[in-house]
């Protein structure tokens, strides 16, 4: 066990944020902490790191273990360059390397025993240098920086010239290079593009230490974690497995909790009715019986009401009228800012009912494209034509279309003057703005709150063509799921930019990958995109399929020269694909069975480990040294088995 939290409590005024929070993280765990915005995730991390005091409770780290922590906005204040800032982590190795050079020079100046002694010191220092990564640390730094999205020409940039997001990326790189035994990350994907997120996934997945992550990126969590801690109503619940496993188990528990609450409420109501009836008899015996039942009722355990739909945002998207079949046609679109050429000759069209996700590297112009379509900025060249009866609803990730000087209430009432005060309040209540909250100024709201205001306006617009720029930014997982369900039930057309791969996977029917040369289209969700991307990559490497070949001006499918092969070749390839598919399915089933067995074993071992902890703390055993030694031996064996099982699980997952 590398980290243990026991009975952590924290209250702010009248908000009991953390209630007896207890959990532990074992060596080599990849664990996630999730929960809705404001539930106390960051507060708990700050308590763990000693940046904030808990009201009660104990945080314990294993001895001789190093801990690295990256807060959400880790702003570095440094006069160094990006490369030098990262390099500073390796200063002990640099010093050791200098000592080795000094010893090499001294060897030419001494003889005899002195030389022998110096050579022995050199051999030991050289072995240590190699053991601690002295031969590879420079390439390792370059690999991490490039993985996090920095180009070679960025390495010499001073930290002081970087944006907040870039500084956070440098801080993340610095932490990764440090290689602590336990890495604690608070929303590490916030400032990363897709390529950087995928790189970080693989890095953390293969990391030899322990990882503890707060994140709303469900795809990221699915890939990495083997344990999920959920904070809900101040209490902590532990789930074994990745995010998908958590979601499945959570739904089962939710239904069970709801049934338990309903049964509890039914019993309470029944007893109250019986008591009322007995009192109505107005006889001595009946009154005594009523009082007896009342005492029993007061002693009855009350089941807390689980979170339900009433506690979450409500979002229904419904177009006021249908558009024509041709929704949008874009021809020859180009845009540059000074010498920065974002894209040129972009061509695509969108038909009614399509749900299209635009992806691409940072800086390719995705948000700019949406702004051009919405007439926020002008294109350098090209034409944009909307179809018949197309009504656009626009979600701006920078929230520029909101007026910071207005209240939430006025923001809605000014745009929708026909709505009554009651109707406006009902709409805002559906987006969790109640009471005096509706009179808060837009400028004082958090990013998540502004996002909810925009979603409320989007719903009221009843548009048949939604254009969304990073709509899941600042939303917690619950709100993301609500938005996903609303879009999947929406009968209109959707075009959006997003880095949220889980969101894309659930909502997109087509993916358009934006490059400088135009769009590469994939007719499917994100999983399909990854599959086709993997298939096309080898061909692209050999030059047999070019970006121009893949580009489709019709905007319907990704095409390649291979599509024009003969019918006979296609038939043979189909047979091979079928056989390969069957083999893959069999392998997948075998893998899934082994994963299930491993997860069952891990759960069994963790349960026994917890039982041993309780036994060792019990009064009957805590003073019996022989029994304690026996239990400790069993604990050590369990730890070894857990490590082996988790390592095998990591290989398979």
């Amino acid at each position: 066990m590398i980290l243990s939290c026991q009975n952590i409590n924290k209250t702010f005024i009248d908000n009991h944020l953390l209630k007896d929070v207890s959990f532990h993280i074992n060596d080599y765990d990849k664990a996630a902490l999730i929960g809705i915005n404001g539930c106390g995730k960051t507060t708990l991390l700050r308590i763990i790191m000693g940046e904030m005091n808990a009201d009660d409770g104990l945080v314990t780290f294993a001895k001789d273990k190093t801990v690295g922590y990256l807060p959400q906005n880790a702003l570095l204040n440094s006069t160094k360059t990006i490369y030098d800032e990262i390099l500073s982590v390796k200063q002990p190795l640099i010093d050791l390397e200098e000592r080795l050079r000094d010893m090499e020079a001294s060897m030419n100046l001494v003889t005899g025993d002195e030389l022998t002694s110096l050579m022995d010191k050199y051999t030991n220092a050289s072995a240590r240098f190699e053991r601690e990564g002295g031969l590879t640390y420079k390439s390792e730094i370059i690999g991490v920086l490039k993985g996090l999205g920095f180009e070679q020409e960025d390495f010499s940039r001073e930290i002081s010239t970087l944006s907040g997001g870039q500084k956070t990326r440098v801080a993340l790189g610095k932490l990764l290079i440090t290689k602590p035994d336990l890495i604690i990350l608070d929303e590490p994907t916030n400032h990363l593009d897709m390529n950087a997120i995928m790189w970080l996934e693989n890095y953390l997945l293969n990391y030899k230490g322990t990882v503890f992550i707060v994140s709303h990126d469900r795809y990221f969590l699915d890939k990495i974690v083997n344990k999920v801690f959920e904070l809900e109503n101040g209490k902590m619940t532990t789930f074994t497995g990745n995010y998908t496993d958590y979601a499945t188990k959570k739904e089962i528990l939710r239904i069970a909790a709801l049934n338990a609450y309903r049964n509890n409420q039914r019993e309470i109501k029944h007893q109250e009715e019986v008591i009322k009836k007995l009192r109505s008899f107005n006889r001595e015996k009946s009154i005594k019986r009523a009082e007896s039942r009342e005492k029993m009722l007061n002693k009855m355990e009350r089941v807390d009401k689980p979170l339900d739909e009433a506690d979450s945002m409500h979002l229904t998207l419904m177009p006021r009228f249908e558009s024509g079949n041709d929704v949008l046609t874009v021809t020859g679109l180009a845009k540059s800012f000074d010498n920065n050429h974002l894209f040129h000759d972009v061509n695509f069209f969108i038909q009614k009912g399509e749900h299209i996700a635009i992806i691409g590297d940072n800086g390719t112009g995705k948000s700019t494209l949406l702004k051009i379509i919405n007439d926020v900025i002008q294109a350098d060249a090209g034409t944009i034509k909307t179809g018949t009866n197309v009504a656009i609803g626009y979600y701006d990730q920078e929230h520029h279309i909101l007026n910071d000087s207005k209240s939430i209430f006025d923001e809605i009432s000014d745009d929708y003057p026909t709505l009554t005060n009651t109707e406006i309040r009902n709409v805002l209540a559906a987006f969790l703005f109640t009471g005096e909250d509706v009179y808060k100024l837009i400028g004082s709201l958090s990013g998540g709150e502004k996002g909810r205001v925009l979603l409320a306006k989007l719903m009221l617009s009843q548009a048949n063509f939604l254009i969304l720029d990073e709509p899941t930014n600042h939303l917690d997982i619950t709100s993301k799921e609500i938005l996903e369900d609303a879009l999947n039930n929406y009968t209109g057309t959707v075009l959006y930019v997003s880095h949220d791969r889980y969101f894309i996977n659930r909502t997109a029917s087509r993916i358009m990958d934006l490059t400088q040369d135009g769009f590469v289209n994939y007719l499917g969700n994100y999983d399909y995109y990854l599959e086709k991307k993997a298939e096309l990559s080898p061909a692209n490497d050999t030059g047999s399929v070019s970006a121009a070949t893949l580009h489709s001006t019709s905007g319907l499918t990704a095409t390649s020269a291979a599509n024009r092969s003969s019918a006979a070749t296609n038939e043979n390839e189909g047979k091979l694909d079928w056989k390969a598919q069957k083999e893959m399915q069999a392998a997948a089933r075998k893998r899934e069975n082994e994963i299930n067995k491993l997860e069952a074993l891990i759960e069994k071992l963790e349960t026994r480990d917890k039982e041993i902890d309780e036994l060792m703390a019990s009064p009957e055993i805590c003073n019996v040294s022989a029994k304690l030694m026996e239990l400790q031996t069993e604990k050590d064996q369990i730890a070894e088995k857990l490590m082996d099982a988790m390592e095998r699980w990591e290989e398979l997952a």
Side-chain angles (χ1 to χ4, degrees):
M1 189 162 59
I2 195 168
L3 170 65
S4 172
C5 292
Q6 297 177 319
N7 304 116
I8 304 296
N9 282 275
K10 187 66 182 179
T11 300
F12 293 96
I13 307 176
D14 59 347
N15 180 18
H16 197 170
L17 195 62
L18 304 175
K19 305 172 184 175
D20 292 320
V21 170
S22 297
F23 68 100
H24 71 272
I25 299 176
N26 296 318
D27 286 331
Y28 311 110
D29 268 345
K30 304 289 192 295
L33 175 62
I34 66 171
I36 65 172
N37 287 342
C39 71
K41 301 185 298 295
T42 296
T43 297
L44 179 58
L45 292 192
R46 293 186 68 194
I47 289 171
I48 290 170
M49 295 308 302
E51 295 181 355
M52 182 184 290
N53 293 323
D55 299 334
D56 298 294
L58 184 65
V59 176
T60 307
F61 291 99
K63 289 182 179 179
D64 303 320
K65 297 290 187 179
T66 55
V67 181
Y69 171 50
L70 181 79
Q72 282 194 43
N73 297 299
L75 300 182
L76 291 174
N77 294 313
S78 173
T79 57
K80 296 178 180 177
T81 65
I82 292 175
Y83 183 84
D84 287 342
E85 183 67 30
I86 303 291
L87 186 64
S88 66
V89 172
K90 297 295 184 180
Q91 192 59 49
L93 270 180
I94 296 170
D95 294 341
L96 182 57
E97 190 173 18
E98 288 178 1
R99 285 202 299 275
L100 286 170
R101 302 291 83 83
D102 291 341
M103 282 190 275
E104 288 170 0
S106 298
M107 285 179 190
N108 298 319
L109 305 174
V110 296
T111 59
D113 291 344
E114 193 175 354
L115 177 60
T116 302
S117 175
L118 185 59
M119 288 181 68
D120 287 341
K121 289 179 182 178
Y122 181 85
T123 301
N124 292 333
S126 183
R128 180 188 161 197
F129 182 74
E130 188 172 342
R131 188 172 60 250
E132 294 180 3
L135 302 177
T136 59
Y137 73 90
K138 290 181 180 178
S139 60
E140 184 186 353
I141 290 171
I142 292 171
V144 167
L145 285 174
K146 287 190 172 181
L148 292 174
F150 292 105
E151 300 296 333
Q152 192 81 36
E153 55 266 27
D154 296 326
F155 292 1
S156 58
R157 290 181 62 186
E158 289 187 8
I159 300 292
S160 58
T161 67
L162 303 181
S163 67
Q166 289 169 325
K167 288 178 179 178
T168 301
R169 278 192 282 147
V170 175
L172 174 58
K174 193 173 177 181
L175 176 59
L176 297 179
I177 291 293
T178 306
K179 295 182 179 177
D181 297 306
L182 170 62
I183 292 179
I184 300 177
L185 305 173
D186 194 357
E187 297 289 357
T189 64
N190 274 0
H191 304 287
L192 304 180
D193 61 20
M194 278 189 177
N195 288 331
I197 291 171
M198 287 189 283
W199 177 87
L200 184 60
E201 279 175 357
N202 290 321
Y203 187 95
L204 295 178
L205 194 60
N206 296 302
Y207 191 70
K208 301 303 182 185
T210 307
V211 180
F212 187 31
I213 309 168
V214 170
S215 179
H216 291 136
D217 190 328
R218 294 158 294 172
Y219 213 97
F220 184 74
L221 297 180
D222 247 357
K223 186 78 177 285
I224 296 172
V225 305
N226 61 2
K227 187 181 287 184
V228 175
F229 302 113
E230 182 187 39
L231 260 180
E232 188 177 52
N233 291 332
K235 297 179 180 178
M236 183 77 86
T237 307
T238 303
F239 299 84
T240 302
N242 62 9
Y243 179 82
T244 298
D245 296 327
Y246 150 78
T248 303
K249 294 171 184 174
K250 176 68 176 178
E251 179 61 16
I252 295 170
L253 289 175
R254 187 192 69 81
I255 293 170
L258 189 59
N259 288 335
Y261 172 74
R262 286 171 176 170
N263 291 336
N264 186 248
Q265 290 297 303
R266 256 194 306 269
E267 180 61 21
I268 290 170
K269 187 177 179 182
H270 171 70
Q271 292 297 334
E272 286 174 344
E273 287 173 350
V274 171
I275 291 167
K276 185 179 179 182
K277 190 70 175 176
L278 286 170
R279 287 192 178 281
S280 71
F281 294 152
N282 202 25
R283 305 278 179 96
E284 186 178 353
K285 277 189 177 182
S286 65
I287 291 172
K288 284 184 177 179
R289 288 171 64 187
E291 289 172 348
S292 177
R293 280 185 175 266
E294 231 169 13
K295 289 178 182 177
M296 291 176 60
L297 182 60
N298 291 334
K299 292 178 181 178
M300 184 186 292
E301 184 180 354
R302 304 296 172 113
V303 177
D304 292 334
K305 183 184 178 184
L307 290 174
D308 58 22
E309 293 182 356
D311 303 298
S312 303
M313 179 179 72
H314 289 186
L315 177 60
T316 304
L317 299 170
M318 188 177 296
R320 186 166 57 254
F321 50 82
E322 287 191 14
S323 68
N325 286 326
D326 295 334
V327 173
L328 184 72
T329 303
V330 174
T331 308
L333 207 66
K335 184 63 183 178
S336 299
F337 291 100
D338 299 324
N339 294 323
N340 182 19
H341 303 289
L342 293 178
F343 50 78
H344 71 276
D345 197 28
V346 168
N347 304 276
F348 65 94
F349 72 81
I350 298 173
Q351 294 184 306
K352 184 175 70 174
E354 285 196 283
H355 289 198
I356 301 170
I358 297 177
I359 65 173
D361 295 339
N362 283 351
T364 53
K366 303 182 297 295
S367 295
T368 300
L369 179 67
L370 297 192
K371 288 176 180 176
I372 291 171
I373 295 171
N374 280 281
D375 254 348
V376 178
I377 61 176
Q378 296 299 309
D380 297 337
T383 60
I384 298 170
K385 183 181 177 183
T386 54
T388 307
N389 292 329
V390 171
I392 294 176
Y394 179 41
Y395 182 104
D396 171 23
Q397 71 158 317
E398 298 166 348
H399 308 136
H400 287 160
I401 60 177
L402 297 176
N403 190 330
D404 284 350
S405 62
K406 289 184 179 180
S407 69
I408 301 171
F409 188 94
D410 289 340
E411 181 71 31
I412 302 296
S413 64
D414 289 352
D415 282 7
Y416 300 95
T418 60
L419 293 178
T420 65
N421 287 0
T422 301
E423 287 171 334
I424 293 172
R425 278 191 169 275
N426 288 340
V427 168
L428 290 175
F431 290 85
L432 309 182
F433 297 111
T434 57
E436 294 301 306
D437 287 346
V438 303
Y439 299 115
K440 286 183 178 177
L441 291 180
I442 298 292
S444 70
L445 302 181
S446 68
E449 290 171 324
K450 287 181 179 179
R452 283 191 274 126
V453 175
L454 273 178
L455 288 174
K457 294 183 72 173
L458 205 66
M459 184 179 79
L460 288 169
S461 73
Q462 297 182 312
N464 54 35
F465 181 27
L466 302 181
I467 299 177
L468 316 175
D469 191 4
E470 297 288 0
T472 64
N473 276 7
H474 309 294
L475 296 183
D476 55 43
I477 290 175
T478 301
S479 299
K480 287 180 182 182
E481 290 172 346
I482 291 167
L483 177 58
E484 287 161 2
D485 291 337
L487 288 177
N488 287 334
N489 292 321
Y490 178 62
T491 58
T493 309
V494 184
L495 176 68
Y496 65 81
V497 168
S498 180
H499 287 108
D500 189 328
R501 295 160 300 165
Y502 201 99
F503 176 78
I504 295 171
N505 210 40
R506 281 204 66 200
T507 59
S509 59
R510 174 157 59 108
I511 290 175
M512 300 197 306
D513 191 359
L514 181 60
T515 69
Q516 285 189 338
D517 298 319
F519 279 115
V520 182
N521 284 269
Y522 300 85
L523 192 60
N525 61 8
Y526 189 77
D527 283 345
Y528 178 84
Y529 158 78
L530 287 180
E531 181 186 333
K532 290 302 173 185
K533 190 87 169 176
E535 288 177 8
L536 294 169
S537 289
N540 284 338
D541 291 342
T542 60
S544 60
V545 180
S546 67
T549 306
L550 287 170
H551 177 62
S552 167
T553 56
S554 69
L556 291 179
T557 62
T559 59
S560 71
N563 296 129
R564 295 186 292 272
S565 58
S566 67
T569 302
N570 285 338
E571 187 178 349
N572 290 333
E573 287 179 353
K575 290 178 181 177
L576 289 171
D577 287 345
W578 180 84
K579 186 178 179 181
Q581 190 177 3
K582 287 293 182 184
E583 289 174 354
M584 286 174 63
Q585 287 173 349
R589 284 195 298 272
K590 184 179 178 181
R591 172 180 160 276
E592 187 67 26
N593 288 335
E594 189 173 353
I595 287 174
N596 289 337
K597 289 178 182 177
L598 283 168
E599 288 177 349
L601 175 62
I602 290 168
E603 189 170 354
K604 182 181 177 181
L605 290 170
E606 286 184 332
T607 300
R608 179 55 183 164
D609 190 66
K610 188 176 180 181
E611 289 172 356
I612 292 172
D613 287 339
E614 291 172 354
L615 285 170
M616 292 173 79
S618 66
E620 298 85 0
I621 293 176
C622 66
N623 294 318
V624 184
S625 52
K627 187 61 178 176
L628 285 173
M629 289 177 64
E630 182 186 332
L631 290 171
Q632 186 59 51
T633 301
E634 187 181 352
K635 243 180 106 67
D636 293 342
Q637 292 170 347
I638 287 172
E640 190 174 343
K641 290 177 181 178
L642 269 172
M643 186 182 299
D644 292 342
M646 287 176 177
E647 284 179 355
R648 179 56 181 159
W649 189 93
E650 276 186 43
E651 291 173 8
L652 295 170

